[in-house]
């Protein structure tokens, strides 16, 4: 599927593209580790909502903590901390950074 660019928010919608590096979803990122957003597997509404929070393709993300009992995740994006539910975090695909 071709990439679509939303000029108003600068968000790319990418689905099922193959990459030559290891990928991990945001919910599997260990606390303290960082990654770069490669894609968001969701519709336009989800991508726009996450884009307003600073989570868009190319954004640097650091996992701060995971909630107890598989609760929400706390991540840092552009110096701001954002809480995300596991279902949403599972749709964000990252490239791990060293």
């Amino acid at each position: 599927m071709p990439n679509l660019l939303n000029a108003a928010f600068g968000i790319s919608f990418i689905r099922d593209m193959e990459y030559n590096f290891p990928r991990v979803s945001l919910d599997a990122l260990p606390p303290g580790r960082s990654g770069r957003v490669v894609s968001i597997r969701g519709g336009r509404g989800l991508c726009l909502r996450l884009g307003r929070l600073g989570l868009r393709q190319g954004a640097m993300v650091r996992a701060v903590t995971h909630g107890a009992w598989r609760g929400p995740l706390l991540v840092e994006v552009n110096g701001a901390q954002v809480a995300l539910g596991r279902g949403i975090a599972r749709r964000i695909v990252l490239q791990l950074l060293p």
Side-chain angles (χ1 to χ4, degrees), residues 44-73:
R44 180 182 170 106
L46 176 64
C47 292
L48 289 173
R49 179 176 169 214
L50 293 174
R52 290 184 196 114
L53 295 173
L55 284 162
R56 56 179 57 96
Q57 187 179 11
M60 303 296 285
V61 178
R62 185 177 68 86
V64 176
T65 186
H66 291 204
W69 302 100
R70 305 284 299 165
L73 303 157

Side-chain angles (χ1 to χ4, degrees), residues 12 71 98:
S12 295

Side-chain angles (χ1 to χ4, degrees), residues 48-97:
L48 289 173
R49 179 176 169 214
L50 293 174
R52 290 184 196 114
L53 295 173
L55 284 162
R56 56 179 57 96
Q57 187 179 11
M60 303 296 285
V61 178
R62 185 177 68 86
V64 176
T65 186
H66 291 204
W69 302 100
R70 305 284 299 165
L73 303 157
L74 188 61
V75 297
E76 186 175 319
V77 182
N78 299 328
Q81 291 188 351
V82 178
L84 296 172
R86 295 272 174 173
I88 300 294
R90 196 171 296 122
R91 295 173 173 264
I92 301 169
V93 180
L94 305 173
Q95 173 189 5
L96 290 177
L97 297 177

